Each structure stands twice: as structure tokens, then as C-alpha cells.
Amino acid sequence: MAYTIDRHPCEDSPRLGAMTLHPVPESVPRARRWFRKFIAPYSPSCSIDDCALMISELVTNAIRYGRSDDSWVVRVEWYREGTSLRVDVHNPGFPASVQLRHPEADDAHGRGLLLVDSIADSWRSGPSFFGGTVVSFVVADAWPA
């Protein structure tokens, strides 16, 4: 199996959905497609395209920098917190390795967190409760009060 999706979270949970992806390049467009599909019924008023772009960047980073001696996955979860949308991307990498970079104009990589930093209302990284690293972003006012 290449992936799993949690389509029906508990009604009392702020989590709206989750997906588990293998750490392969094909998972990046899959994450975008699934997020768009499974967030649509919740009718957020924020830009789904912006959120899908940020998810693409974070899943790409998770695949690129996640490390484990065992088989591993990338986990993406999205939550409604009041009027805000929070998205978490988990991987088995080291939390200290997450850095906001300022690449030169001709650098081929290093802009993912810059995009997240410029689009999201906030973002953070730290230890994941699954082990490894979680990088999260928040979009405020994703739903009316």
C-alpha cells in the first residue's frame, strides 16, 4: 500500500483528516490532491491553493530530509482550531535540522520554508509525538467566527 487516508475523524475531534504517505516524489502531488479533496467539504474561506502549495513544500522537505534506519512514512494531518486551520507534517528527521534558509538567486533548493513563512500566519517546527520532526503551519481566519 502506498498511502492511507483518514476520511472520517471522530466528530468531537478538531482533526479534520490525515494521510500517510511513502517517502517518494509521487507523494507530493498526491498530498496536494487529497488535501484539496478532503478539505473541500469543510468549506474553508482561506485559499486552498495556498495551503496545497505549503503542504507540497513541507512534504517535499519531509521526504528530502527525513531519515530512519527502518521503513518510514510521512504523515500529514489537518485541524480546525477555532477559526484557524493548522496543518502538521511529520517525518522521522531531526527537529534541529529544520531551518529557514535564505538561498542565493541561483540556488536550486532552499525556498520551501520561505514560502511557508510568507504565506502562513505562523509556522513552527519541533519534536513530533510520532518521533522525529513535525513542521506545522497555521492559516488564521480559515472559517468565519
Side-chain angles (χ1 to χ4, degrees):
M1 176 181 284
Y3 53 83
T4 60
I5 190 84
D6 179 354
R7 298 176 199 180
H8 305 290
C10 172
E11 219 172 287
D12 294 334
S13 172
R15 192 179 82 192
L16 302 177
M19 60 183 116
T20 304
L21 305 156
H22 285 291
V24 295
E26 296 82 19
S27 291
V28 176
R30 183 174 287 137
R32 282 193 306 266
R33 278 193 314 271
W34 284 352
F35 175 77
R36 288 173 201 260
K37 179 178 180 176
F38 293 113
I39 196 69
Y42 296 101
S43 302
S45 57
C46 62
S47 170
I48 293 174
D49 289 339
D50 284 353
C51 293
L53 172 62
M54 291 187 286
I55 288 170
S56 291
E57 294 300 331
L58 295 183
V59 169
T60 298
N61 286 352
I63 292 167
R64 185 177 184 108
Y65 300 112
R67 297 285 180 266
S68 178
D69 292 335
D70 300 320
S71 178
W72 59 280
V73 295
V74 174
R75 184 167 178 83
V76 181
E77 300 178 305
W78 50 98
Y79 298 84
R80 181 174 181 167
E81 296 177 331
T83 61
S84 297
L85 170 67
R86 185 183 93 226
V87 176
D88 297 344
V89 178
H90 303 264
N91 74 72
F94 297 106
S97 67
V98 177
Q99 298 176 11
L100 184 62
R101 301 172 199 268
H102 298 281
E104 297 296 322
D106 59 345
D107 288 342
H109 301 285
R111 292 173 181 78
L113 281 179
L114 276 175
L115 281 169
V116 172
D117 187 60
S118 67
I119 297 170
D121 290 292
S122 65
W123 71 274
R124 65 170 281 284
S125 66
S128 168
F129 56 82
F130 293 111
T133 301
V134 61
V135 180
S136 304
F137 68 82
V138 173
V139 177
D141 301 322
W143 288 276

